[in-house]
Amino acid sequence: MNESKVRPALKWLIRQEQEVLPPAAAQMADAIQARHGGCIRAFLYYGSSRREGDLPTKMLDFYVLVDAYSDVHGRGLKQLASILVPPSVHYLEIRTETGELLRCKYAVMSERAFHRRTSGGAFESMLWGRFAQPVLIRADNEARYERLFDTLASACFHLAREILPLLRSYTEIDDIWARGFCESYRTELRPEAPLARSRELVARFDARYAAMTDALFGVGQETRKAAIAQTGWFGRQMTRLRWAARRVVGKVMAAIRVLKAAFTFDAGLDYILEKIEGHSTARIKVTENERRHPVLHSPVLAWKLFRARALR
């Protein structure tokens, strides 16, 4: 892959798929901005609500970028926790003019940390794996749009570079990206089966990933296969080791983030249970006391999740 040619092509594709935020997402973005006194510099709308359309029953997902965590949290423990284990996660619900309830989960991250981690500067794949997927951007000036396009293109390129050594020399286009998202999902605590979810995601945006494969390997992949230059034995083993290490590090960090969210994320436990029930057959019953004090009861809740095989 010629990096100097691939990144601009990926950036162009990401720019072309941009559109204004759907009405519900736009209204929620305005509410988040108002909640924090106008300190939000950019919104990234992503996740299942972005993929499946502007459905009022879906929880909306955003990453919001700020100059500094103190702009949102002030100075203190929340600021420190966000610096050490980003992002900080928040919940907001509003009602539309017609009385419809909209809910969202939004992650707050500093611009500097987001760009560094998402462009491939983080060992964890959480950000560059997530933002190699479709995302809509709203930013407060053109320079921020441009930098975000650059960073998202870098995320796509970095994911491809980290997965190609694991693939056969002649691979189905869909398999390239599905394998990448599957490996990334396996580093997180998720209720759904990673490979099935990855294939569903790629199939939904088939044209997008076909175009990105063209950008990586040259235009005209009419056979739906891509010829991949083979990595040597040592390179393949090192790639496998990196992904194995990411699975360990990623799951530990995910557990830490869940625990942190219990302190900072309103309705955090309910959100986790909703995600589990939406993507698996597991059903977890919690008491009102456990819901009010999730940290205190975290060992019991963890055992319930384990017994139900709710997280993989």
Side-chain angles (χ1 to χ4, degrees), residues 191-192 269-286 291 305 310-311:
E192 66 268 56
L269 179 58
D270 290 324
Y271 171 71
I272 292 168
L273 296 177
E274 178 182 316
K275 291 286 281 186
I276 289 169
E277 292 179 2
H279 296 294
S280 74
T281 59
R283 296 295 180 267
I284 311 298
K285 292 184 178 180
V286 298
R291 182 173 277 105
L305 293 172
L311 297 175

Side-chain angles (χ1 to χ4, degrees), residues 31 34 37 42 48 60 110 118 126 130 132 152 166 179 216 226 228 239 248 250 259 288:
S48 59
L60 306 177
S110 75
T118 307
M126 181 186 76
R130 177 170 282 114
L152 297 181
L166 303 180
R179 177 68 182 275
L216 292 172
I228 299 170
T239 301
V248 175
L259 185 61
E288 283 305 312

Side-chain angles (χ1 to χ4, degrees), residues 175-195:
D175 289 346
I176 297 171
W177 300 101
R179 177 68 182 275
F181 296 136
C182 176
E183 291 295 338
S184 182
Y185 284 158
R186 290 176 69 197
T187 70
E188 303 178 30
L189 295 173
R190 302 182 67 90
E192 66 268 56
L195 184 57

Side-chain angles (χ1 to χ4, degrees), residues 70-91:
S70 58
D71 294 341
V72 171
H73 303 301
R75 299 192 179 278
L77 288 177
K78 285 188 177 181
Q79 177 200 19
L80 179 62
S82 296
I83 293 171
L84 295 177
V85 189
S88 61
V89 183
H90 303 262
Y91 175 80

Side-chain angles (χ1 to χ4, degrees), residues 111-124:
E111 273 194 285
R112 181 179 178 182
F114 180 84
H115 287 296
R116 179 178 62 81
R117 289 170 177 261
T118 307
S119 60
F123 181 69
E124 275 187 277

